[in-house]
Amino acid sequence: MKRPLRPDGRVRVVPSLLSADPGALRRDLDRSGARWASLDVMDGHFVPNLTYGPSALKALRSGACRLDAHLMVSDPVRYAPLFAEAGADWVVFHLEACPRPRPLLRALRARGTGAGLAIKPKTPVSALLPFLADLDLALVMTVEPGFGGQAFMPKMLSKVRVLRRELDRRGLKAWLQVDGGIDERTAPAAASAGADSLVAGSAVFGARDPAAAARRIEKAAQKALKKS
Ligand code: DX5
């Protein structure tokens, strides 16, 4: 198994397959040219939408593209190992569904899978701070999870700034990911706040040329970083 990518100071745009053609996920993933893509796993309970199982992730695995499984599920203790076994490079689950996440985070890392923790918009960033040392990825949702195409919530950037400050102060190497409403207009603000992994669904797969769209978003983010 490939080791998950480590943060290297460069901002990555991570296409979210939720906005891809569900009947041609593999084709759209290849068309996006992504080196890292996100699979939004929804159980119809934690969020009012239902999407993929571990077999979908298994079918999408390839040598070229790393995959994170973003589990928007009420029982991550049950499902996280299944996505790790299916070959996810990171498994990201919600703190709201697992208030004592350390055992699961450590179990994922022990098997060589990147361990990630996500917080919804209403969850304060302070809730995430005690677990930073156990993370390979921290995810700040910039929309209410469940659906693509929603408006970016700029108020969430204060959480990103707090996390960036704390990760840097403690010398911790975890990706700082944002997810929801990311496009060429919002990516610069997210990168300037300190995010280095930007999940984008509709802005990538809604474009005529998804790979070019992802590159434009990444370029806009990198340009903002140079300025900040
Ligand atoms: C929402 C998902 C996001 C969403 C992003 O619950 O986690 O990944 O697909 O889609 P856009 O980029 O369209 O907001």
Side-chain angles (χ1 to χ4, degrees):
M1 171 191 293
K2 303 183 294 290
R3 298 285 306 166
L5 278 171
R6 306 292 297 160
D8 58 7
R10 203 161 70 78
V11 178
R12 298 290 198 299
V13 167
V14 179
S16 155
L17 289 162
L18 189 65
S19 303
D21 174 348
L25 287 179
R26 184 64 212 235
R27 180 204 66 194
D28 279 8
L29 177 58
D30 293 344
R31 274 188 183 162
S32 74
R35 309 283 290 165
W36 174 2
S38 183
L39 193 69
D40 288 309
V41 178
M42 301 180 187
D43 65 358
H45 183 260
F46 185 75
V47 292
N49 198 352
L50 201 53
T51 58
Y52 317 103
S55 56
L57 187 137
K58 203 167 193 164
L60 288 166
R61 274 185 325 171
S62 79
C65 182
R66 285 179 170 81
L67 292 170
D68 77 52
H70 173 196
L71 304 190
M72 287 160 273
V73 302
S74 295
D75 189 356
V77 173
R78 176 178 177 194
Y79 292 111
L82 302 183
F83 282 89
E85 280 148 35
D89 296 282
W90 297 265
V91 173
V92 186
F93 58 95
H94 274 262
L95 181 59
E96 299 88 354
C98 186
R100 291 180 185 75
R102 208 167 266 121
L104 181 53
L105 292 168
R106 290 181 177 170
L108 288 168
R109 280 182 144 181
R111 52 160 300 123
T113 301
L117 209 46
I119 49 172
K120 298 199 305 188
K122 291 191 180 73
T123 302
V125 67
S126 54
L128 207 51
L129 298 182
F131 308 107
L132 288 188
D134 292 296
L135 297 184
D136 298 294
L137 188 151
L139 167 52
V140 173
M141 289 303 294
T142 43
V143 295
E144 197 58 40
F147 298 91
Q150 301 178 74
F152 179 77
M153 297 168 75
K155 284 203 176 91
M156 295 299 113
L157 293 181
S158 58
K159 297 183 184 179
V160 176
R161 280 188 281 273
V162 167
L163 285 170
R164 174 50 60 208
R165 209 171 33 244
E166 195 59 15
L167 286 168
D168 292 353
R169 184 182 70 81
R170 295 171 57 183
L172 296 172
K173 285 285 175 208
W175 290 97
L176 213 184
Q177 188 176 71
V178 292
D179 181 359
I182 294 294
D183 58 24
E184 267 183 272
R185 192 182 48 80
T186 57
S192 301
D196 55 5
S197 173
L198 312 179
V199 176
S202 46
V204 171
F205 291 112
R208 195 180 42 77
D209 180 340
R215 283 195 301 272
R216 278 198 306 274
I217 297 169
E218 204 160 282
K219 196 165 164 225
Q222 289 289 36
K223 202 168 146 203
L225 262 194
K226 287 198 177 73
K227 280 189 191 148
S228 59

